[in-house]
Amino acid sequence: MRISAAQRTENKNRIRAAMDRLLRGEIPPGGKCDIKTLANEAAVDRTAFYGTRPYAHLRVEFERRVQALQQAGEIPDPREAQITRLKAENAKLRERLAKSEQTIDELADFRAQALARLAAQHEEIVRLRDAAAGASRVSRLPAPRTTVIGTCS
């Protein structure tokens, strides 16, 4: 069905108004900053934005403006901004997790080395005690006293 020039102008005005609202971040519930939502907000058939249809140039303008905002660091769609923020946070948490796992591995290795050294030192002490007990020239020292005489302060 053909529309008049006045209807086409009215549709273009509605599309431009909807475009401005979406780019300001006034996105309706369940919508995005895309052509489908633009068509719904302007009450225009979505197919009119594609090919050689009458509003294809407005789709190109809308996509260009959205891309310009994204390159400037502004994201008009709050969900897209949230997705971008959550992806960055996820990457940061994965990095922290990798560092934590590396630290845990290093500490586990250090613990294993420390236990091996303690075991070796204990074996050396036991060996030296056995050697000292077998030698007749070594005299044993008396055991330390366990009673306290006087004040400790």
Side-chain angles (χ1 to χ4, degrees), residues 23-72:
L23 293 174
R24 279 194 309 264
E26 298 174 19
I27 300 182
K32 296 185 201 176
C33 193
D34 62 356
I35 296 296
K36 181 179 178 181
T37 306
L38 177 64
N40 287 338
E41 286 292 298
V44 176
D45 186 29
R46 183 172 38 140
T47 59
F49 288 100
Y50 296 98
T52 59
R53 303 290 178 136
Y55 309 121
H57 68 283
L58 292 174
R59 175 184 56 84
V60 172
E61 178 185 340
F62 178 69
E63 289 172 347
R64 181 185 51 76
R65 289 175 65 186
V66 167
Q67 190 176 34
L69 282 174
Q70 288 173 343
Q71 288 176 348

Side-chain angles (χ1 to χ4, degrees), residues 75 79-89:
I75 302 175
R79 285 189 317 202
E80 291 295 325
Q82 182 181 24
I83 289 170
T84 302
R85 180 183 55 78
L86 290 174
K87 282 182 179 179
E89 185 178 332

